[in-house]
């Protein structure tokens, strides 16, 4: 079975631009989360969606938004990009429901803002 | 609020020797604890988790971790290290008070280097 898939794998954007990152969860998983990992740090929680509803949001500005589609795939949008948004963006999926469910991560999307 | 501390940025061990990567946590309720490994320029791979039950948890690639509630620790261990175990290791915790999102809070990571 395919794991969590993310696209694109690498991208370069200019300050002020907007970016959309995409994620397909593991088949049967209904919960998708997004994390930002800045070089040298642990991942930081951005959003969680379950059954197409936002269930949680981390300490990120309103420039960050996300949504989950009926097929449980998800998009993360970042507007008005700043240099500090350069990071690895990780999507993760889980069955959802029980908090003991394992969260599985994709390979990430490397975003460089210049 | 939940938090995780990985007190060692770097751990070096000789191949064949036992390894330990330390993790302590802070939660308001019962912790769910996870270990992930990250190879260079890759995503996170799940190693093991503690939810409830036996304090010694066995996971992938021969790794295990011991949950110690009194010391609020969840150290990752392996009896005999391999050069291929060299990677960045993250401990993560999830606290589950009512109504919270089910996000993971990660430590800052520990770079494990196994020397041949």
């Amino acid at each position: 079975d395919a794991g969590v898939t993310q696209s694109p794998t690498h991208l370069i954007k200019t300050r002020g631009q907007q970016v959309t990152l995409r994620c397909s969860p593991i088949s049967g998983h209904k919960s998708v989360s997004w994390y930002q990992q800045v070089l040298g740090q642990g991942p930081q929680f951005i959003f969680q969606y379950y059954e197409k509803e936002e269930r949680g949001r981390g300490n990120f500005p309103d420039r960050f938004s996300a949504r989950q589609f009926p097929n449980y795939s998800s998009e993360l949008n970042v507007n008005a990009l700043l240099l500090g948004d350069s990071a690895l963006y990780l999507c993760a999926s889980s069955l959802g429901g029980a908090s003991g469910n394992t969260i599985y991560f994709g390979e990430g999307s490397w975003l460089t803002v210049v | 609020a939940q938090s995780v501390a990985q007190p060692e940025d770097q751990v070096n061990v000789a191949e064949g020797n036992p390894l330990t990567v330390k993790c302590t946590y802070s939660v308001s309720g019962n912790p769910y604890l996870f270990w992930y490994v990250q190879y260079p320029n890759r995503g996170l791979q799940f190693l093991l988790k503690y939810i409830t039950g036996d304090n010694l948890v066995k996971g992938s690639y021969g790794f295990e971790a011991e949950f110690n509630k009194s010391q609020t620790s969840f150290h990752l261990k392996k009896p005999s290290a391999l050069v291929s175990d060299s990677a960045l290791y993250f401990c993560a915790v999830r606290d589950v008070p009512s109504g919270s999102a089910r996000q993971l809070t990660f430590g800052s990571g520990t770079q494990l280097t196994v020397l041949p």
Side-chain angles (χ1 to χ4, degrees), chain A:
Chain A
D1 286 342
V4 178
T5 57
Q6 294 186 241
S7 63
T9 54
H10 294 81
L11 67 166
I12 300 174
K13 291 287 188 178
T14 303
R15 279 178 298 175
Q17 285 189 318
Q18 175 265 342
V19 67
T20 298
L21 308 177
R22 297 176 176 82
C23 172
S24 293
I26 293 172
S27 178
H29 285 192
K30 298 181 178 180
S31 176
V32 170
S33 301
W34 289 94
Y35 289 77
Q36 181 197 63
Q37 186 180 16
V38 174
L39 193 63
Q41 298 180 18
Q44 298 290 319
F45 171 72
I46 309 175
F47 284 109
Q48 187 212 5
Y49 279 79
Y50 177 63
E51 290 281 16
K52 301 178 289 296
E53 292 187 0
E54 182 182 308
R55 292 298 184 92
R57 182 185 183 115
N59 188 24
F60 281 81
D62 291 343
R63 300 185 295 107
F64 289 76
S65 62
R67 54 180 175 169
Q68 186 177 33
F69 299 99
N71 66 354
Y72 303 109
S73 67
S74 178
E75 288 182 351
L76 174 70
N77 295 283
V78 186
N79 294 322
L81 286 166
L82 303 173
L83 295 179
D85 296 330
S86 296
L88 177 64
Y89 288 85
L90 295 163
C91 177
S93 77
S94 65
L95 285 170
S99 297
N101 290 143
T102 300
I103 295 180
Y104 296 94
F105 286 82
E107 293 293 330
S109 293
W110 287 95
L111 171 65
T112 301
V113 182
V114 297

Side-chain angles (χ1 to χ4, degrees), chain A residues 3-4 6 26 34-37 41-45 88-93 102-110, chain B residues 6 34-47 61 87-92 104-110:
Chain A
V4 178
Q6 294 186 241
I26 293 172
W34 289 94
Y35 289 77
Q36 181 197 63
Q37 186 180 16
Q41 298 180 18
Q44 298 290 319
F45 171 72
L88 177 64
Y89 288 85
L90 295 163
C91 177
S93 77
T102 300
I103 295 180
Y104 296 94
F105 286 82
E107 293 293 330
S109 293
W110 287 95
Chain B
Q6 293 182 242
F34 302 79
W35 276 101
Y36 288 85
V37 60
Q38 187 174 37
Y39 294 95
N41 301 315
R42 303 293 299 275
L44 302 178
Q45 292 182 28
F46 169 74
L47 283 178
Y61 313 117
L88 186 57
Y89 290 80
F90 288 100
C91 180
L104 292 173
T105 296
F106 285 86
S108 55
T110 298

Side-chain angles (χ1 to χ4, degrees), chain B residues 37-116:
Chain B
V37 60
Q38 187 174 37
Y39 294 95
N41 301 315
R42 303 293 299 275
L44 302 178
Q45 292 182 28
F46 169 74
L47 283 178
L48 50 80
K49 67 180 180 182
Y50 171 82
I51 303 300
T52 187
D54 193 348
N55 289 343
L56 184 63
V57 179
K58 294 188 181 298
S60 306
Y61 313 117
F63 284 93
E64 59 189 26
E66 186 168 11
F67 172 66
N68 188 316
K69 187 173 184 178
S70 63
Q71 297 184 4
T72 62
S73 67
F74 189 57
H75 301 331
L76 181 70
K77 300 181 180 183
K78 187 174 182 181
S80 179
L82 300 173
V83 172
S84 58
D85 293 330
S86 298
L88 186 57
Y89 290 80
F90 288 100
C91 180
V93 68
R94 175 192 278 161
D95 189 9
V96 199
S98 174
S100 71
R102 294 174 172 84
Q103 72 265 29
L104 292 173
T105 296
F106 285 86
S108 55
T110 298
Q111 180 66 48
L112 172 68
T113 301
V114 181
L115 305 169

